[in-house]
């Protein structure tokens, strides 16, 4: 598969837009059929998908690939198949007093051609869930997967070509330069998943074309632990969230805020939880994922070295493999906000621990930083939990757990501020990729006649009633 040129990109977009205008929006039967074909092709290539992911990462847990890539993808498609008919139905709306003889409703119509830019960390689900959403919404789509996962991108291309004609869905490949040209296309909507820095560039390019955008970004997602809460319960679930995909997850717990009296208990319990989940060598473990490439591996080891140089206590929970980019989990204590590890999203199996004395202090710490994509609270104190949720702003929240909010098909998924704009998944995805078209049908009685003789006094009475 050769990389696309700017001319190729414009040609594909023009072809899809012409086909959309010519054929009009697909009906419910066609949308469901398209989604079922996509699901069938994914299931048929399940083994190939797992192998492609292992090729790109060098070491990728097969179990994780099934749990965090394939299961959410298939469940999401099933959910769309079951509910898209309801989402497509016109929604009756209220008619104002002057116009009671008419009717008003809203129709969700597809916007046209959607551009989708997918990241490398979950290259299957984060490419094909947005694609399935675009199809459910009645759109056509151009898909640009990450250049950092070439084997997986090539396989996704095969899936797309086996399922859809090119005038309906096309996949294009290329490096960052191609990605920049892709984001500059005059799409009818663009959906980007990736870093905040690149998301800003995508938003800027989309703005030049007045293209609406859904940006799924990242950020430093905190874990707040209630004083005295069961540390065994916390540590097992934080370890699950932090070590899934070796921490290369946009909603991974980025750092922990624990009461100063509980820090050492948490640190001990977390180490035990990590060793229980991964009892052997990380470099040889079939259930532990490598860091994608040398660049990201060096970035993470640099964050650890910087923290150590600035006084952090570094607790290494296993041995690394520089050659295969396997980074064993690391726990950082005595962390300060000035350290590099607290200045950027970690995106790896490194967990800084900070302490607080009061919940207000923890809330102030979170609010002093960009709004996170996820927020995690562990505790049974409903008053403190509600206070934290009311006084902070973030993307989604999981209480007494990590990551699992993303697996709820009926919840929107998205960030706010630096962690994203807009949301998708489920109905919110359908809404994001459609236009709410308001329709008013006037009845036989012409309301405008109320403004004319001989209805002057009646008009005045109605006006005074409305404006009182």
């Amino acid at each position: 598969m050769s990389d696309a040129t700017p001319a190729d990109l414009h040609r594909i977009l023009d072809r899809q837009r012409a086909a959309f205008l010519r054929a009009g929006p697909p009906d419910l039967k066609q949308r469901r059929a398209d989604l079922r074909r996509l699901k069938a092709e994914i299931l048929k290539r399940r083994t190939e998908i797992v192998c492609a992911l292992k090729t790109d990462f060098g070491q990728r847990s097969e179990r994780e690939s099934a749990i965090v890539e394939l299961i959410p993808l298939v469940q999401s498609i099933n959910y769309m198949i079951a509910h898209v008919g309801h989402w497509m139905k016109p929604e009756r709306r209220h008619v104002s007093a002057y116009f009671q003889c008419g009717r008003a409703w809203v129709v969700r119509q597809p916007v046209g051609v959607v551009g989708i830019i997918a990241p490398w960390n979950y290259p299957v689900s984060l490419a094909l869930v947005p694609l399935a959403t675009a199809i459910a919404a009645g759109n056509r789509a151009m898909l640009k997967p990450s250049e950092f996962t070439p084997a997986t991108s090539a396989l996704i291309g095969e899936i797309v070509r086996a399922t859809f004609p090119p005038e309906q869905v096309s996949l294009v490949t290329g490096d960052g330069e191609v990605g920049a040209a892709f984001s500059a296309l005059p799409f009818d909507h663009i959906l980007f998943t990736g870093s905040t820095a690149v998301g800003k560039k995508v938003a800027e390019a989309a703005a030049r074309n007045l293209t609406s955008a859904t940006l799924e970004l990242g950020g430093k997602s905190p874990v707040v632990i209630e004083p005295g809460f069961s540390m065994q319960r916390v540590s097992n679930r934080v370890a699950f969230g932090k070590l899934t995909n070796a921490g290369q997850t946009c909603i991974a717990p980025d750092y922990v805020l624990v009461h100063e009296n509980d820090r050492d208990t948490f640190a001990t319990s977390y180490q035990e939880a990590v060793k229980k989940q991964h009892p052997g060598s990380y470099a040889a473990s079939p259930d532990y994922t490598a860091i994608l490439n040398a660049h990201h591996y060096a970035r993470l080891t640099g964050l650890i070295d910087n923290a150590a140089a600035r006084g952090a206590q570094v607790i290494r929970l296993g041995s690394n493999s520089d050659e295969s980019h396997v980074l064993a989990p690391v726990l950082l204590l005595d962390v300060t906000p000035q350290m590099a590890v607290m200045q950027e999203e970690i995106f790896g199996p490194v967990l800084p621990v900070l302490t607080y004395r009061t919940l207000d202090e923890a809330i102030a710490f979170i609010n002093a930083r960009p709004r996170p994509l996820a927020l995690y609270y562990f505790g049974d104190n409903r008053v403190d939990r509600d206070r934290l949720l009311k006084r902070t702003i973030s993307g989604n929240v999981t209480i007494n757990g990590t990551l699992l909010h993303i697996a709820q098909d009926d919840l929107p998924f998205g960030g706010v501020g630096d962690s994203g704009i807009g949301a998708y998944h489920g109905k919110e995805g359908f809404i994001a990729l459609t236009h709410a078209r308001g329709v008013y049908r006037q009845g036989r009685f012409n309301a405008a006649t109320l403004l004319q003789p001989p209805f002057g006094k009646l008009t005045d009475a109605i006006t005074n009633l409305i404006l009182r």
Side-chain angles (χ1 to χ4, degrees):
M1 185 187 303
S2 59
D3 290 351
T5 66
D8 294 334
L9 298 176
H10 282 279
R11 184 165 52 250
I12 295 169
L13 176 58
D14 290 344
R15 182 180 182 182
Q16 289 198 354
R17 180 162 286 139
F20 176 81
L21 294 174
R22 182 174 60 251
D27 59 17
L28 174 61
K29 182 179 179 181
Q30 183 63 53
R31 298 184 198 192
R32 282 180 168 158
D34 288 342
L35 291 171
R36 289 191 179 102
R37 284 204 316 276
L38 177 60
K39 172 186 167 183
E41 195 65 27
I42 291 166
L43 293 176
K44 185 173 76 173
R45 296 174 180 265
R46 172 182 171 182
T47 302
E48 295 176 67
I49 290 172
V50 171
C51 290
L53 289 166
K54 291 180 72 173
T55 298
D56 285 327
F57 280 82
Q59 180 173 307
R60 181 87 184 277
S61 165
E62 293 185 14
R63 183 176 291 113
E64 278 189 0
S65 292
I67 293 173
V68 301
E69 295 266 25
L70 294 174
I71 289 177
L73 171 58
V74 170
Q75 286 184 331
S76 182
I77 293 174
N78 287 339
Y79 188 82
M80 292 181 210
I81 291 171
H83 292 87
V84 66
H86 177 70
W87 301 337
M88 290 174 64
K89 289 181 179 179
E91 179 185 347
R92 187 80 175 266
R93 291 296 179 93
H94 172 74
V95 177
S96 62
Y98 264 131
F99 310 107
Q100 285 296 314
C101 294
R103 291 185 60 206
W105 64 93
V106 171
V107 177
R108 306 294 320 191
Q109 63 176 163
V111 292
V113 181
V114 175
I116 300 167
I117 303 177
W120 56 261
N121 59 326
Y122 293 96
V124 177
S125 61
L126 293 182
L128 296 183
V129 170
L131 174 60
T133 305
I135 296 302
N139 298 295
R140 294 164 190 260
M142 290 175 62
L143 174 60
K144 165 66 175 68
S146 173
E147 66 271 24
F148 298 121
T149 50
T152 306
S153 296
L155 182 56
I156 292 173
E158 293 178 16
I159 292 172
V160 165
R161 287 189 292 275
T163 309
F164 304 103
E167 63 271 16
Q168 184 179 9
V169 179
S170 288
L171 181 139
V172 299
T173 59
D175 58 13
E177 190 173 329
V178 174
F182 186 93
S183 61
L185 292 172
F187 290 113
D188 299 296
H189 190 92
I190 190 163
L191 194 157
F192 168 82
T193 305
S195 71
T196 300
V198 178
K200 290 179 179 179
K201 295 178 181 179
V202 172
E204 183 179 358
R208 295 191 194 104
N209 296 312
L210 295 180
T211 297
S212 57
T214 300
L215 304 179
E216 299 300 338
L217 309 178
K220 299 185 72 61
S221 299
V223 175
V224 179
I225 305 173
E226 174 186 300
F229 195 66
S230 168
M231 287 303 162
Q232 181 179 6
R233 187 174 168 191
V234 172
S235 58
N236 284 330
R237 298 177 185 187
V238 172
F240 161 74
K242 191 62 176 177
L243 302 186
T244 296
N245 204 31
Q248 298 166 108
T249 305
C250 59
I251 58 170
D254 193 273
Y255 64 93
V256 168
L257 285 167
V258 63
H259 192 272
E260 58 185 12
N261 294 337
D262 296 331
R263 190 202 73 164
D264 292 344
T265 305
F266 170 79
T268 300
S269 184
Y270 181 77
Q271 293 174 66
E272 293 172 354
V274 169
K275 291 175 182 177
K276 184 177 180 180
Q277 291 182 21
H278 297 279
S281 167
Y282 291 95
S285 173
D287 295 322
Y288 192 73
T289 298
I291 303 304
L292 179 73
N293 56 33
H295 168 74
H296 288 286
Y297 182 81
R299 181 184 64 82
L300 288 166
T301 56
L303 291 177
I304 297 168
D305 292 343
N306 174 272
R310 289 175 173 264
Q313 180 183 348
V314 179
I315 303 174
R316 301 179 188 273
L317 304 180
S319 299
N320 300 338
S321 172
D322 295 345
E323 182 180 358
S324 56
H325 311 141
V326 174
L327 183 65
V330 173
L331 187 66
L332 297 177
L333 304 180
D334 302 321
V335 174
T336 64
Q338 293 72 33
M339 294 175 182
V341 75
M342 291 303 298
Q343 300 298 313
E344 61 182 78
E345 184 178 7
I346 295 171
F347 227 65
V350 181
L351 184 66
V353 177
L354 298 95
T355 61
Y356 69 88
R357 287 167 293 183
T358 66
L359 182 61
D360 286 342
E361 188 178 312
I363 290 171
F365 187 90
I366 295 169
N367 287 340
R369 285 152 182 80
R371 291 167 176 173
L373 182 58
L375 175 66
Y376 301 111
Y377 179 79
F378 285 88
D380 291 328
N381 187 320
R382 183 176 296 182
V383 173
D384 283 353
R385 181 197 70 195
D386 291 348
R387 185 149 58 103
L388 176 73
L389 297 188
K390 286 178 181 178
R391 291 182 54 192
T392 59
I393 298 176
S394 71
N396 287 20
V397 175
T398 292
I399 298 167
N400 293 337
T402 59
L403 305 188
L404 297 183
H405 59 264
I406 199 171
Q408 314 312 311
D409 289 309
D410 203 29
L411 285 180
F413 175 71
V416 57
D418 279 24
S419 59
I421 297 174
Y424 76 115
H425 284 199
K427 183 177 181 179
E428 277 72 21
F430 180 86
I431 290 172
L433 301 185
T434 54
H435 165 62
R437 190 181 210 179
V439 181
Y440 173 74
R441 187 184 73 186
Q442 186 169 309
R444 291 184 179 182
F445 176 72
N446 183 4
T449 58
L450 291 176
L451 304 178
Q452 303 168 359
F455 298 105
K457 291 184 178 180
L458 177 60
T459 301
D460 291 343
I462 296 175
T463 299
N464 290 333
L465 181 65
I466 294 173
L467 298 181
R468 68 178 179 179

